[in-house]
Every structure is written in structure tokens, then in C-alpha cells.
């Protein structure tokens, strides 16, 4: 406001501001990935309380042996505050403290040990990030996916390269899908009368196990996914893990269950 007049932002200016934000948008996911790896949300949520903490207080928790730059951490937290992940409180002495929004709370383990953080970290591993600059190549040549073009293998194959990758992938899928499964089972009763249920793309089989625990009428569960995906799947009573490609054929059952794809 100048001389009692309110400044008006013209559409062209709004467009330039939007472009400016898009040009720097990578700073948001990379910053969030950094604080997740440092376990900053867990530090704020310690003891199950959403306690506002300063950047230096957070560092003292995530780095108990010392080290780290509080000023740079604060810069990252202030950025993520603008994207409603943290809330910034300014105390009377000018100290900035940070707590979690509802979005931020989804990044800490719940009562079942589930968190959306694993999904975010899994999708922001370096091999995936390095494939994104090739996304335009998929327009020129749709026969090879960018990830495979860069690394010589499909993205799902990378997930199964070793125990660490597989563990993160299972945690990623569980953290996103199981909360939705709990809500679905509270409101959907379409599994009544089903004796054999096939879960297509069931990954570890945990979703199928949840369904069968609620519906004892389901005597047989078939967890169907790519062979590499089920190679490390845990055993559940009444569930058989079957490897295959859903684009070719799917095992027979009284009903087939498939969730929206969260895979790469």
C-alpha cells in the first residue's frame, strides 16, 4: 500500500510469479527429503507430543553428539512451513520454533508404526531423481521408460535389488495403503460370501491379510504380484503368494481385489 492505495497484481505479474515458483519447486521435495532423513518430524513428535522446537533444539535431538548448522536447518524449515508441513511460532524473544501440521503428523509413525515418510523417501532416492530429466525422451521413444533407459533395468527391478531396497519398498507401500485399507474396511462390506479372494498387485500381502482377518468367510487368499515383488513377502495364514504378470493372466477366485497403483 502506498499513499493510501492498494497495489494491484496484474495477471502478467501473477504468471511471472508462478513461473518463478515452478523454477524453484525442486527445492521443496529435496528439502523435505532432507528433513525426513534427519528424522526431524520424529524429533518434534517425541513422546507423542507436538512440541514446538527451535532449529538448535531439533539438532540436539537428531545429532546428540553435536554437529550440524542450525541456521541452515531453520532455512529449510521455513521453506517447508510455506507448504503447510510445519508451523512456525515466533516467541517474544524472537526465537523461531517449529511444530507439525496435520501433513507433518502423517510423516511420523502412528500407533501401528506406519508413516507416509517411507513412501516419500522411497520415491526420492537418487536413481529415480536422475531419471526424471529423461521424461521428455518418453515422448520421442515410448518403448523404453526413462528409468530403464538410464539404468538398464525397470524401476521395480531396482526395488528388489537387495534387502535394504526391498524393506524400504514394503514400508513405503504399507505406510500409504494400510491407513486407506482400515478406512475401507470400516465402510465397505463387499467381501461377504467370498471364499477365495485374489489381490492383484498385493505386494507383501498385508492388505489381503487385513481383509481376511475381518472376513473369516474368506478361506483362501491369493496374493498375486510380480515374482520379484513377492520373493520376500512374509507368510500369512491362508494366503498363498503367486508370482506372475497381471497383463498376461490373473489367478481365478470368487472375487478379485485391486487397489489404485502406488508403484513406480
Amino acid at each position: 500500500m502506498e499513499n493510501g492505495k492498494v497495489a494491484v497484481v496484474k495477471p502478467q505479474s501473477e504468471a511471472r510469479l508462478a513461473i518463478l515458483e515452478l523454477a524453484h519447486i525442486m527445492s521443496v521435495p529435496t528439502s523435505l527429503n532432507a528433513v525426513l532423513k534427519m528424522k526431524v518430524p520424529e524429533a518434534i513428535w517425541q513422546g507423542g507430543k507436538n512440541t514446538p522446537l527451535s532449529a538448535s533444539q531439533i539438532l540436539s535431538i537428531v545429532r546428540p553428539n553435536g554437529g550440524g548448522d542450525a541456521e541452515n536447518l531453520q532455512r529449510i524449515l521455513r521453506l517447508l512451513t510455506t507448504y503447510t508441513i510445519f508451523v512456525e511460532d515466533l516467541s517474544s524473544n524472537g526465537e523461531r520454533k517449529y511444530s507439525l501440521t496435520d501433513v507433518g503428523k502423517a510423516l511420523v509413525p502412528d500407533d501401528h508404526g506406519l508413516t507416509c515418510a517411507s513412501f516419500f523417501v522411497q520415491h526420492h532416492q537418487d536413481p529415480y531423481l536422475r531419471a526424471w530429466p529423461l521424461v521428455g525422451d518418453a515422448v520421442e521413444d515410448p518403448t523404453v521408460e526413462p528409468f530403464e533407459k538410464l539404468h538398464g533395468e525397470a524401476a521395480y527391478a531396482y526395488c528388489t535389488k537387495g534387502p535394504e531396497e526391498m524393506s524400504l519398498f514394503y514400508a513405503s507401500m504399507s505406510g500409504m495403503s494400510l491407513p486407506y485399507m482400515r478406512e475401507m474396511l470400516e465402510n465397505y462390506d463387499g467381501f461377504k460370501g467370498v471364499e477365495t479372494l485374489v489381490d492383484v498387485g498385493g505386494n507383501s500381502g498385508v492388505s489381503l491379510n487385513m481383509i481376511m482377518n475381518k472376513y473369516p468367510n474368506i478361506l483362501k487368499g491369493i496374493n498375486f504380484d510380480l515374482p520379484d515383488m513377492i520373493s520376500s513377502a512374509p507368510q500369512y495364514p491362508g494366503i498363498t503368494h503367486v508370482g506372475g504378470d497381471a497383463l498376461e493372466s490373473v489367478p481365478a477366485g470368487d472375487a478379485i481385489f485391486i487397489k489404485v497403483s502406488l508403484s513406480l
Side-chain angles (χ1 to χ4, degrees):
M1 181 179 292
E2 184 177 353
N3 298 325
K5 297 181 180 180
V6 178
V8 177
V9 179
K10 298 180 179 181
Q12 297 93 332
S13 298
E14 293 179 349
R16 286 193 291 271
L17 289 173
I19 294 299
L20 184 64
E21 181 177 14
L22 288 171
H24 293 88
I25 197 67
M26 179 174 272
S27 62
V28 180
T30 52
S31 294
L32 179 54
N33 196 41
V35 299
L36 291 178
K37 288 183 175 181
M38 286 188 281
K39 299 188 180 301
V40 170
E42 288 97 320
I44 296 174
W45 193 253
Q46 61 175 338
K49 296 181 180 179
N50 195 12
T51 306
L53 298 175
S54 67
S56 58
Q57 289 173 321
I58 293 171
L59 275 179
S60 68
I61 296 172
V62 301
R63 293 181 176 271
N65 296 322
D69 188 279
E71 182 178 351
N72 280 337
L73 176 58
Q74 179 169 277
R75 289 170 181 262
I76 293 173
L77 294 173
R78 295 198 73 189
L79 169 65
L80 296 176
T81 294
T82 65
Y83 286 86
T84 65
I85 296 169
F86 299 100
V87 175
E88 182 184 76
D89 297 306
L90 188 62
S91 62
S92 57
N93 64 0
E95 185 178 40
R96 301 179 187 276
K97 293 190 175 184
Y98 300 89
S99 55
L100 302 174
T101 63
D102 287 340
V103 176
K105 292 175 185 176
L107 299 171
V108 297
D110 62 13
D111 295 337
H112 301 275
L114 299 173
T115 169
C116 295
S118 299
F119 184 84
F120 191 93
V121 171
Q122 196 264 331
H123 279 70
H124 285 79
Q125 294 177 91
D126 184 62
Y128 302 119
L129 294 179
R130 288 193 285 116
W132 274 106
L134 301 181
V135 68
D137 292 8
V139 178
E140 301 295 332
D141 180 11
T143 62
V144 183
E145 295 180 353
F147 190 97
E148 185 174 356
K149 185 173 184 179
L150 179 64
H151 299 290
E153 61 181 349
Y156 74 84
Y158 173 79
C159 295
T160 61
K161 288 184 76 71
E164 186 175 343
E165 289 82 3
M166 200 73 242
S167 176
L168 179 58
F169 184 76
Y170 280 160
S172 168
M173 295 296 103
S174 297
M176 287 297 292
S177 66
L178 295 194
Y180 291 114
M181 285 296 304
R182 287 199 293 266
E183 292 183 18
M184 188 202 75
L185 290 173
E186 290 174 359
N187 298 282
Y188 179 73
D189 61 359
F191 296 108
K192 293 180 179 179
V194 174
E195 292 188 3
T196 300
L197 178 62
V198 182
D199 186 355
V200 176
N203 197 244
S204 67
V206 64
S207 296
L208 183 56
N209 185 56
M210 290 175 68
I211 297 172
M212 294 177 66
N213 282 339
K214 181 169 182 178
Y215 292 91
N217 53 278
I218 303 176
L219 304 178
K220 181 180 180 181
I222 299 176
N223 180 44
F224 183 71
D225 210 327
L226 294 169
D228 288 341
M229 288 298 173
I230 64 168
S231 61
S232 302
Q235 297 300 313
Y236 295 105
I239 293 178
T240 302
H241 300 296
V242 177
D245 188 342
L247 298 179
E248 297 178 358
S249 65
V250 174
D254 299 320
I256 293 174
F257 174 72
I258 184 169
K259 300 186 295 297
V260 60
S261 176
L262 292 175
S263 59
L264 300 165

PDB file of all heavy atoms in Angstrom, residues 148-165:
ATOM      1  N   GLU A 148      14.561 -47.103 -17.109  1.00  0.00           N
ATOM      2  CA  GLU A 148      15.242 -48.226 -17.767  1.00  0.00           C
ATOM      3  C   GLU A 148      16.285 -47.732 -18.764  1.00  0.00           C
ATOM      4  O   GLU A 148      17.352 -48.335 -18.908  1.00  0.00           O
ATOM      5  CB  GLU A 148      14.217 -49.105 -18.472  1.00  0.00           C
ATOM      6  CG  GLU A 148      14.804 -50.367 -19.075  1.00  0.00           C
ATOM      7  CD  GLU A 148      13.758 -51.296 -19.654  1.00  0.00           C
ATOM      8  OE1 GLU A 148      12.553 -50.980 -19.519  1.00  0.00           O
ATOM      9  OE2 GLU A 148      14.139 -52.326 -20.231  1.00  0.00           O
ATOM     10  N   LYS A 149      15.994 -46.632 -19.429  1.00  0.00           N
ATOM     11  CA  LYS A 149      16.951 -46.082 -20.389  1.00  0.00           C
ATOM     12  C   LYS A 149      18.233 -45.647 -19.693  1.00  0.00           C
ATOM     13  O   LYS A 149      19.334 -45.814 -20.228  1.00  0.00           O
ATOM     14  CB  LYS A 149      16.321 -44.894 -21.119  1.00  0.00           C
ATOM     15  CG  LYS A 149      17.192 -44.326 -22.228  1.00  0.00           C
ATOM     16  CD  LYS A 149      16.449 -43.258 -23.018  1.00  0.00           C
ATOM     17  CE  LYS A 149      17.287 -42.762 -24.184  1.00  0.00           C
ATOM     18  NZ  LYS A 149      16.566 -41.740 -24.989  1.00  0.00           N
ATOM     19  N   LEU A 150      18.094 -45.101 -18.485  1.00  0.00           N
ATOM     20  CA  LEU A 150      19.256 -44.612 -17.753  1.00  0.00           C
ATOM     21  C   LEU A 150      20.009 -45.724 -17.048  1.00  0.00           C
ATOM     22  O   LEU A 150      21.242 -45.765 -17.055  1.00  0.00           O
ATOM     23  CB  LEU A 150      18.812 -43.557 -16.739  1.00  0.00           C
ATOM     24  CG  LEU A 150      19.909 -42.940 -15.863  1.00  0.00           C
ATOM     25  CD1 LEU A 150      20.915 -42.167 -16.716  1.00  0.00           C
ATOM     26  CD2 LEU A 150      19.296 -42.030 -14.802  1.00  0.00           C
ATOM     27  N   HIS A 151      19.262 -46.661 -16.423  1.00  0.00           N
ATOM     28  CA  HIS A 151      19.887 -47.653 -15.550  1.00  0.00           C
ATOM     29  C   HIS A 151      19.952 -49.064 -16.137  1.00  0.00           C
ATOM     30  O   HIS A 151      20.568 -49.952 -15.539  1.00  0.00           O
ATOM     31  CB  HIS A 151      19.143 -47.706 -14.213  1.00  0.00           C
ATOM     32  CG  HIS A 151      19.158 -46.409 -13.471  1.00  0.00           C
ATOM     33  ND1 HIS A 151      20.301 -45.889 -12.896  1.00  0.00           N
ATOM     34  CD2 HIS A 151      18.171 -45.514 -13.213  1.00  0.00           C
ATOM     35  CE1 HIS A 151      20.014 -44.739 -12.297  1.00  0.00           C
ATOM     36  NE2 HIS A 151      18.732 -44.480 -12.481  1.00  0.00           N
ATOM     37  N   GLY A 152      19.290 -49.271 -17.263  1.00  0.00           N
ATOM     38  CA  GLY A 152      19.336 -50.584 -17.881  1.00  0.00           C
ATOM     39  C   GLY A 152      18.420 -51.606 -17.252  1.00  0.00           C
ATOM     40  O   GLY A 152      18.512 -52.801 -17.560  1.00  0.00           O
ATOM     41  N   GLU A 153      17.516 -51.178 -16.376  1.00  0.00           N
ATOM     42  CA  GLU A 153      16.537 -52.068 -15.752  1.00  0.00           C
ATOM     43  C   GLU A 153      15.314 -51.253 -15.367  1.00  0.00           C
ATOM     44  O   GLU A 153      15.378 -50.028 -15.222  1.00  0.00           O
ATOM     45  CB  GLU A 153      17.122 -52.744 -14.510  1.00  0.00           C
ATOM     46  CG  GLU A 153      17.531 -51.783 -13.418  1.00  0.00           C
ATOM     47  CD  GLU A 153      18.136 -52.481 -12.218  1.00  0.00           C
ATOM     48  OE1 GLU A 153      18.053 -53.710 -12.149  1.00  0.00           O
ATOM     49  OE2 GLU A 153      18.688 -51.779 -11.343  1.00  0.00           O
ATOM     50  N   ALA A 154      14.183 -51.943 -15.198  1.00  0.00           N
ATOM     51  CA  ALA A 154      12.952 -51.260 -14.828  1.00  0.00           C
ATOM     52  C   ALA A 154      13.016 -50.777 -13.381  1.00  0.00           C
ATOM     53  O   ALA A 154      13.787 -51.297 -12.571  1.00  0.00           O
ATOM     54  CB  ALA A 154      11.762 -52.188 -15.016  1.00  0.00           C
ATOM     55  N   ALA A 155      12.194 -49.791 -13.063  1.00  0.00           N
ATOM     56  CA  ALA A 155      12.206 -49.222 -11.710  1.00  0.00           C
ATOM     57  C   ALA A 155      11.861 -50.268 -10.659  1.00  0.00           C
ATOM     58  O   ALA A 155      12.457 -50.305  -9.586  1.00  0.00           O
ATOM     59  CB  ALA A 155      11.236 -48.044 -11.628  1.00  0.00           C
ATOM     60  N   TYR A 156      10.884 -51.145 -10.961  1.00  0.00           N
ATOM     61  CA  TYR A 156      10.500 -52.147  -9.972  1.00  0.00           C
ATOM     62  C   TYR A 156      11.636 -53.133  -9.711  1.00  0.00           C
ATOM     63  O   TYR A 156      11.763 -53.678  -8.613  1.00  0.00           O
ATOM     64  CB  TYR A 156       9.232 -52.894 -10.408  1.00  0.00           C
ATOM     65  CG  TYR A 156       9.442 -53.888 -11.522  1.00  0.00           C
ATOM     66  CD1 TYR A 156       9.881 -55.188 -11.249  1.00  0.00           C
ATOM     67  CD2 TYR A 156       9.181 -53.553 -12.838  1.00  0.00           C
ATOM     68  CE1 TYR A 156      10.071 -56.102 -12.269  1.00  0.00           C
ATOM     69  CE2 TYR A 156       9.361 -54.472 -13.866  1.00  0.00           C
ATOM     70  CZ  TYR A 156       9.801 -55.742 -13.577  1.00  0.00           C
ATOM     71  OH  TYR A 156       9.993 -56.650 -14.586  1.00  0.00           O
ATOM     72  N   ALA A 157      12.483 -53.357 -10.739  1.00  0.00           N
ATOM     73  CA  ALA A 157      13.611 -54.269 -10.551  1.00  0.00           C
ATOM     74  C   ALA A 157      14.608 -53.680  -9.556  1.00  0.00           C
ATOM     75  O   ALA A 157      15.220 -54.406  -8.766  1.00  0.00           O
ATOM     76  CB  ALA A 157      14.291 -54.553 -11.892  1.00  0.00           C
ATOM     77  N   TYR A 158      14.776 -52.362  -9.580  1.00  0.00           N
ATOM     78  CA  TYR A 158      15.679 -51.720  -8.628  1.00  0.00           C
ATOM     79  C   TYR A 158      15.174 -51.918  -7.198  1.00  0.00           C
ATOM     80  O   TYR A 158      15.974 -52.095  -6.276  1.00  0.00           O
ATOM     81  CB  TYR A 158      15.804 -50.227  -8.929  1.00  0.00           C
ATOM     82  CG  TYR A 158      16.588 -49.476  -7.873  1.00  0.00           C
ATOM     83  CD1 TYR A 158      17.986 -49.517  -7.865  1.00  0.00           C
ATOM     84  CD2 TYR A 158      15.943 -48.751  -6.882  1.00  0.00           C
ATOM     85  CE1 TYR A 158      18.716 -48.854  -6.889  1.00  0.00           C
ATOM     86  CE2 TYR A 158      16.663 -48.086  -5.900  1.00  0.00           C
ATOM     87  CZ  TYR A 158      18.045 -48.137  -5.907  1.00  0.00           C
ATOM     88  OH  TYR A 158      18.754 -47.486  -4.934  1.00  0.00           O
ATOM     89  N   CYS A 159      13.846 -51.904  -7.019  1.00  0.00           N
ATOM     90  CA  CYS A 159      13.261 -52.064  -5.678  1.00  0.00           C
ATOM     91  C   CYS A 159      13.637 -53.397  -5.048  1.00  0.00           C
ATOM     92  O   CYS A 159      13.620 -53.531  -3.823  1.00  0.00           O
ATOM     93  CB  CYS A 159      11.737 -51.958  -5.737  1.00  0.00           C
ATOM     94  SG  CYS A 159      11.123 -50.350  -6.245  1.00  0.00           S
ATOM     95  N   THR A 160      13.943 -54.369  -5.878  1.00  0.00           N
ATOM     96  CA  THR A 160      14.194 -55.724  -5.375  1.00  0.00           C
ATOM     97  C   THR A 160      15.676 -56.090  -5.422  1.00  0.00           C
ATOM     98  O   THR A 160      16.023 -57.262  -5.293  1.00  0.00           O
ATOM     99  CB  THR A 160      13.391 -56.748  -6.199  1.00  0.00           C
ATOM    100  OG1 THR A 160      13.814 -56.690  -7.572  1.00  0.00           O
ATOM    101  CG2 THR A 160      11.905 -56.449  -6.140  1.00  0.00           C
ATOM    102  N   LYS A 161      16.549 -55.106  -5.579  1.00  0.00           N
ATOM    103  CA  LYS A 161      17.977 -55.408  -5.741  1.00  0.00           C
ATOM    104  C   LYS A 161      18.611 -55.981  -4.477  1.00  0.00           C
ATOM    105  O   LYS A 161      19.572 -56.732  -4.530  1.00  0.00           O
ATOM    106  CB  LYS A 161      18.731 -54.136  -6.166  1.00  0.00           C
ATOM    107  CG  LYS A 161      18.450 -53.713  -7.590  1.00  0.00           C
ATOM    108  CD  LYS A 161      19.295 -52.516  -7.999  1.00  0.00           C
ATOM    109  CE  LYS A 161      20.722 -52.916  -8.282  1.00  0.00           C
ATOM    110  NZ  LYS A 161      20.837 -53.682  -9.531  1.00  0.00           N
ATOM    111  N   GLY A 162      18.102 -55.623  -3.315  1.00  0.00           N
ATOM    112  CA  GLY A 162      18.698 -56.090  -2.071  1.00  0.00           C
ATOM    113  C   GLY A 162      17.741 -55.930  -0.917  1.00  0.00           C
ATOM    114  O   GLY A 162      16.671 -55.324  -1.054  1.00  0.00           O
ATOM    115  N   PRO A 163      18.078 -56.462   0.241  1.00  0.00           N
ATOM    116  CA  PRO A 163      17.188 -56.398   1.417  1.00  0.00           C
ATOM    117  C   PRO A 163      16.831 -54.968   1.812  1.00  0.00           C
ATOM    118  O   PRO A 163      15.688 -54.699   2.194  1.00  0.00           O
ATOM    119  CB  PRO A 163      18.014 -57.090   2.507  1.00  0.00           C
ATOM    120  CG  PRO A 163      18.984 -57.958   1.775  1.00  0.00           C
ATOM    121  CD  PRO A 163      19.308 -57.221   0.511  1.00  0.00           C
ATOM    122  N   GLU A 164      17.787 -54.052   1.722  1.00  0.00           N
ATOM    123  CA  GLU A 164      17.529 -52.665   2.126  1.00  0.00           C
ATOM    124  C   GLU A 164      16.507 -52.006   1.203  1.00  0.00           C
ATOM    125  O   GLU A 164      15.565 -51.343   1.669  1.00  0.00           O
ATOM    126  CB  GLU A 164      18.833 -51.871   2.119  1.00  0.00           C
ATOM    127  CG  GLU A 164      18.673 -50.447   2.661  1.00  0.00           C
ATOM    128  CD  GLU A 164      20.005 -49.720   2.750  1.00  0.00           C
ATOM    129  OE1 GLU A 164      21.069 -50.391   2.713  1.00  0.00           O
ATOM    130  OE2 GLU A 164      19.985 -48.480   2.857  1.00  0.00           O
ATOM    131  N   GLU A 165      16.661 -52.186  -0.108  1.00  0.00           N
ATOM    132  CA  GLU A 165      15.726 -51.608  -1.067  1.00  0.00           C
ATOM    133  C   GLU A 165      14.342 -52.220  -0.915  1.00  0.00           C
ATOM    134  O   GLU A 165      13.323 -51.520  -0.952  1.00  0.00           O
ATOM    135  CB  GLU A 165      16.225 -51.814  -2.506  1.00  0.00           C
ATOM    136  CG  GLU A 165      17.427 -50.979  -2.893  1.00  0.00           C
ATOM    137  CD  GLU A 165      18.742 -51.591  -2.422  1.00  0.00           C
ATOM    138  OE1 GLU A 165      18.707 -52.701  -1.831  1.00  0.00           O
ATOM    139  OE2 GLU A 165      19.802 -50.981  -2.652  1.00  0.00           O
TER     140      GLU A 165
END
